[in-house]
Amino acid sequence: IYLNTQSKFNKQWQFSGSIHGSSFENWGQELKLSYSNQWYAGSIRTQYRSATNNYPFKDINAFGNPKPIKLQSNSQLRQVSILQEHTFKLKQHQISVKNWYQNSFRQLPPTLLQDSSKDHQKDAALRSIVHWKWLFKKHVFQAKTALFLASLQFINDAINSDSRHLSSINEWNHKW
């Protein structure tokens, strides 16, 4: 995953937002506040999303004909994320720090062989990257380091599974 947004300098204060909605009570909103001048560009963005997902479907595994129409159950989603970016220009150098945090709660619907389900999943992720770029004559030197933390918790009547993952990536390149 690359947090590969481009910083825009000399834009001063900017604010944007959006709200959307669709069928099955699917709602979302996004807000972004940013500021930049000749040497700094930064922004913070928040997103929220929720969905009931209680849509009708044909149960193709049921006996008889015609197949019954059922209403999907235990399939809600709630998700929150925050993205923060800071980029500094210092003569021939540019340094960026970007962080993205996401937290989700998902109900897991029953399979076609189950009558109902109480299964759900909670997951969270933090992704951070530091990027340094040096423009020297006809050369471009770049170094990036990224850290990824993730956790996932699956819960049902029989299992409470909790997993955590940590990884990092380091990259260095030089262009002529």
Side-chain angles (χ1 to χ4, degrees):
I1 295 176
Y2 281 94
L3 301 179
N4 196 19
T5 55
Q6 297 297 319
S7 298
K8 296 178 182 175
F9 293 89
N10 294 317
K11 299 289 183 183
Q12 298 303 314
W13 287 102
Q14 294 183 327
F15 176 78
S16 62
S18 66
I19 296 173
H20 73 269
S22 61
S23 58
F24 312 113
E25 297 180 39
N26 185 350
W27 302 100
Q29 62 189 29
E30 179 178 318
L31 300 172
K32 181 179 180 183
L33 178 64
S34 59
Y35 173 79
S36 65
N37 57 30
Q38 64 186 8
W39 62 271
Y40 170 78
S43 68
I44 186 165
R45 187 180 332 174
T46 63
Q47 297 173 323
Y48 174 76
R49 186 174 156 214
S50 69
T52 303
N53 291 323
N54 57 350
Y55 52 86
F57 67 97
K58 187 184 289 190
D59 186 352
I60 60 172
N61 287 337
F63 291 106
N65 233 349
K67 301 295 184 188
I69 303 296
K70 291 186 174 180
L71 195 62
Q72 187 62 276
S73 64
N74 198 58
S75 57
Q76 292 184 5
L77 166 72
R78 286 189 310 271
Q79 191 172 65
V80 175
S81 60
I82 298 171
L83 178 64
Q84 183 182 43
E85 303 178 24
H86 301 282
T87 303
F88 301 89
K89 271 201 235 179
L90 308 166
K91 296 186 180 181
Q92 300 163 317
H93 300 271
Q94 185 169 310
I95 299 170
S96 298
V97 177
K98 301 177 183 183
N99 297 294
W100 177 20
Y101 174 75
Q102 186 168 310
N103 188 307
S104 302
F105 172 81
R106 295 173 172 85
Q107 290 181 325
L108 304 173
T111 66
L112 291 176
L113 301 175
Q114 294 174 303
D115 288 332
S116 65
S117 170
K118 293 180 186 174
D119 298 357
H120 60 278
Q121 173 180 308
K122 298 175 185 178
D123 53 83
L126 174 64
R127 299 164 183 96
S128 296
I129 186 169
V130 176
H131 178 201
W132 168 74
K133 186 189 300 185
W134 179 30
L135 305 170
F136 180 73
K137 297 184 180 180
K138 296 182 180 181
H139 303 275
V140 178
F141 299 93
Q142 293 187 79
K144 295 179 186 179
T145 186
L147 179 67
F148 306 105
L149 300 165
S151 70
L152 186 140
Q153 184 179 25
F154 171 78
I155 300 167
N156 72 8
D157 292 336
I159 300 171
N160 185 350
S161 172
D162 196 4
S163 65
R164 299 179 191 282
H165 178 75
L166 169 65
S167 62
S168 65
I169 298 172
N170 298 297
E171 181 181 300
W172 164 263
N173 66 48
H174 170 243
K175 295 180 185 176
W176 297 92

